[in-house]
Amino acid sequence: MKPKAKTKKATVVPIDQLEVLENRHKLREYCKQNDIVQPEYKASEQFAQISLWAMKFNKFPMCLKTSANLSDNKSIFVLKAYRELPEFFEAIQTNNNNCEVIIEEFVEGKARIEVTVFKGRIVLISQVSLLKSMKLKQNWRAFPLRLPESIYKKVCDIIGKFDKLITNETEFLRFSFVIKNAEPILISINKDQNRLEYLDEWRAVSGLASISESVYPYATDIINKINIYYKVKNDK
């Protein structure tokens, strides 16, 4: 009887934390390597691969997005039926130079939150509502939010796994989570500064401390809400 040939284990190359800010696929791989709960997903440049995964997963809605980490959810579609997949896939690749596309589970939970970090500390937590639209768009944001202690600790544990990113001295980092069954599921990380609630002038009028000086838990019971409006046009 011949001995079984030893199978070589695939070499896992650690993902550089800086890469996750530019590439959503790198973020998903980093989360996998570091045991961070995230949506189920598939990344590919080939429609056949994306389509096959969608048929196997078969839980709508799903999320379809470019691998490039663009600001404000650009090129992110909410897939509510399989028939929409070819159109959304083509739209993403056409607008992003035939890029890699990610299809993933659209996680629905008790709340969707954004956690902003500056110089290693949490300076703002906001609750987010999404529009019912084929594109992933926000409807409103309410802040500052205080989380139950157990969930807050879990959020901090996840953020702590990005130690090289959160110590940045000049940029805000925004971690987006869905809270499902008392567990925070990491959806995305962004460094763009395009939030009205980051502006000191606006915060002063709203009775909030400067964002760079803000410390969780906040010394205010005032909840602010920003409603977001979009120009009426073809949503495609």
Side-chain angles (χ1 to χ4, degrees):
M1 185 175 182
K2 293 182 179 181
K4 292 182 179 180
K6 293 182 178 179
T7 56
K8 292 183 178 180
K9 292 184 178 180
T11 302
V12 177
V13 179
I15 302 295
D16 188 324
Q17 290 185 26
L18 294 177
E19 293 182 284
V20 309
L21 292 177
E22 307 298 332
N23 189 287
R24 292 170 177 145
H25 189 190
K26 295 291 186 184
L27 172 62
R28 292 283 168 258
E29 291 297 305
Y30 183 87
C31 289
K32 188 187 299 183
Q33 291 177 6
N34 291 275
D35 298 320
I36 298 171
V37 180
Q38 63 176 342
E40 294 185 51
Y41 74 97
K42 172 70 177 180
S44 178
E45 296 178 5
Q46 304 300 319
F47 176 78
Q49 294 294 319
I50 296 296
S51 177
L52 179 62
W53 189 92
M55 287 189 290
K56 287 182 176 180
F57 186 68
N58 197 31
K59 296 176 186 177
F60 291 94
M62 302 180 207
C63 207
L64 201 67
K65 60 180 76 171
T66 170
S67 280
N69 194 13
L70 306 177
S71 65
D72 269 353
N73 299 325
K74 289 180 180 176
S75 291
I76 301 183
F77 291 85
V78 179
L79 186 70
K80 297 180 180 178
Y82 183 77
R83 64 178 179 273
E84 299 171 335
L85 182 57
E87 180 184 357
F88 292 172
F89 183 89
E90 182 179 1
I92 290 172
Q93 286 211 320
T94 299
N95 294 326
N96 297 280
N97 299 317
N98 295 317
C99 65
E100 184 179 55
V101 173
I102 297 176
I103 186 168
E104 66 183 32
E105 171 189 10
F106 183 84
V107 182
E108 298 181 280
K110 186 174 183 179
R112 184 173 293 261
I113 65 171
E114 292 182 345
V115 181
T116 302
V117 178
F118 183 60
K119 293 184 178 180
R121 70 178 191 277
I122 292 175
V123 295
L124 182 66
I125 301 178
S126 306
Q127 183 171 353
V128 175
S129 173
L130 299 179
L131 285 174
K132 293 181 179 179
S133 168
M134 68 173 61
K135 285 191 175 182
L136 194 68
K137 293 181 177 180
Q138 293 188 355
N139 186 17
W140 53 258
R141 295 190 300 273
F143 55 89
L145 183 69
R146 292 177 183 172
L147 298 176
E149 189 63 24
S150 59
I151 295 177
Y152 178 73
K153 287 180 178 179
K154 291 175 182 178
V155 165
C156 289
D157 287 343
I158 293 173
I159 290 174
K161 293 185 178 183
F162 296 87
D163 55 318
K164 292 181 181 177
L165 296 182
I166 62 176
T167 53
N168 190 301
E169 293 288 320
T170 59
E171 292 182 323
F172 297 112
L173 282 181
R174 191 164 57 251
F175 293 76
S176 296
F177 296 90
V178 171
I179 308 301
K180 183 175 182 179
N181 299 325
E183 294 291 334
I185 301 173
L186 182 61
I187 304 299
S188 64
I189 304 176
N190 290 282
K191 63 178 180 179
D192 48 286
Q193 312 297 296
N194 52 353
R195 289 288 184 271
L196 183 64
E197 56 268 35
Y198 290 174
L199 302 178
D200 285 345
E201 296 86 352
W202 187 91
R203 292 177 66 85
V205 173
S206 302
L208 298 172
S210 168
I211 186 71
S212 61
E213 298 173 357
S214 181
V215 178
Y216 183 93
Y218 320 102
T220 179
D221 293 321
I222 299 173
I223 299 297
N224 294 271
K225 183 177 181 181
I226 294 179
N227 294 303
I228 304 166
Y229 299 92
Y230 301 89
K231 291 182 180 180
V232 178
K233 61 180 181 179
N234 190 327
D235 199 27
K236 299 181 182 179

